[in-house]
Amino acid sequence: MLLAETSSSPGASHLGAKLIEALLPASAAGIIELLSPVPPGWGGTLLLGLLHSIEIAVGATCVGLLIGTCGAYGKLYGGPVVRDLLAVYTTVVRAVPELVLILLLYYAGTDLINQLLTAMGYQRIDISGLAAGIAVLGFVQGAYSTEVIRGAILAIPQGQIEAARAYGMSPGLLLRRITLPAMLPFAIPGLANLWLIATKDTALLAVVGFFELALATRQAAGVTKAYFTFYVAAGALYLMLSLFSNLILGRIEAW
């Protein structure tokens, strides 16, 4: 009876109304209107941010794969100096938090490039945010890709490598015809995880002001005060991207 009296009291009703208003501050306008792709809705802004996130993730993954392939070969077949430098690279990148690396590479890296251009007599340039984001995340992804690809190469039966060398294959032909096809089944699970990590790491670029999904969500929520609505929508977009990626990656792994 005490519970019934408490729940039916005016204070409890007022508290419930306040809670609903806190969760859905823009309920009068309607969630559908807020998420509409047509202004004054912010759906188009969120989708544009998602597109930028995908562009960065794809570019960073490609750069990371290129660095990882070269790094893995350098660690396995390079000289002592090359192996030591690559060991320092992978250790530092995997030890330092990614947010710190992004801030360091984004600001210090662009400033270093402009200082070098100035020293050589060229004018300073404005580096594209998209290119900088891809380069920064690609550099981070490259350290993890190096270890994934190196492990995949080590998993190849050495008899295949020895047979290819016995046939007189050049290093380039050996890489294209034997090593890369044979290592893919071992590397795809790890590289798939790195892709999913890259899609989420794009949100870290919001701290340097690059417009992607996280920054678009923060802007929309800040203007409308509908924080719950927009952050749930952003989470749903990230989830759909991950589910679609898992579908594609599963087909690639089966193939």
Side-chain angles (χ1 to χ4, degrees):
M1 181 177 295
L2 180 61
L3 180 62
E5 291 177 357
T6 303
S7 62
S8 61
S9 64
S13 300
H14 183 68
L15 180 62
K18 287 291 186 182
L19 180 61
I20 293 175
E21 290 178 4
L23 293 177
L24 298 173
S27 57
I31 295 177
I32 296 178
E33 183 178 354
L34 284 174
L35 298 178
S36 171
V38 180
W42 288 81
T45 303
L46 296 184
L47 292 177
L48 181 60
L50 177 64
L51 177 61
H52 287 172
S53 294
I54 294 174
E55 288 176 348
I56 296 173
V58 170
T61 300
C62 293
V63 172
L65 285 175
L66 179 61
I67 295 175
T69 302
C70 297
Y73 257 74
K75 272 197 163 187
L76 291 173
Y77 308 115
V81 176
V82 173
R83 290 199 299 267
D84 289 342
L85 290 175
L86 288 171
V88 171
Y89 162 61
T90 55
T91 301
V92 170
V93 170
R94 290 185 298 167
V96 178
E98 293 178 357
L99 181 58
V100 176
L101 282 173
I102 287 173
L103 291 172
L104 178 64
L105 294 173
Y106 190 88
Y107 289 113
T110 53
D111 184 61
L112 179 61
I113 291 173
N114 280 316
Q115 286 185 10
L116 291 175
L117 290 175
T118 303
M120 292 186 296
Y122 296 99
Q123 294 183 349
R124 298 174 65 90
I125 60 173
D126 292 327
I127 298 177
S128 165
L130 178 63
I134 290 174
V136 168
L137 284 186
F139 183 82
V140 174
Q141 285 277 310
Y144 295 96
S145 297
T146 295
E147 296 303 321
V148 170
I149 295 174
R150 184 180 69 87
I153 293 175
L154 290 175
I156 300 174
Q158 288 303 305
Q160 297 184 25
I161 305 296
E162 294 172 0
R165 288 174 177 165
Y167 274 104
M169 284 189 179
S170 63
L173 185 60
L174 173 63
L175 173 66
R176 189 175 71 253
R177 295 291 299 276
I178 304 297
T179 306
L180 289 180
M183 77 160 187
L184 278 179
F186 305 106
I188 284 177
L191 295 178
N193 286 333
L194 291 181
W195 159 253
L196 294 176
I197 291 172
T199 61
K200 295 190 290 289
D201 280 353
T202 57
L204 298 176
L205 294 175
V207 300
V208 295
F210 183 76
F211 186 80
E212 41 69 58
L213 181 55
L215 184 58
T217 303
R218 189 169 67 185
Q219 290 179 352
V223 171
T224 63
K225 306 304 179 184
Y227 295 98
F228 182 81
T229 300
F230 282 106
Y231 280 109
V232 168
L237 289 175
Y238 279 118
L239 178 60
M240 287 189 291
L241 177 59
S242 296
L243 293 176
F244 180 74
S245 298
N246 284 333
L247 178 64
I248 299 301
L249 292 169
R251 290 182 177 274
I252 292 175
E253 189 171 0
W255 172 76

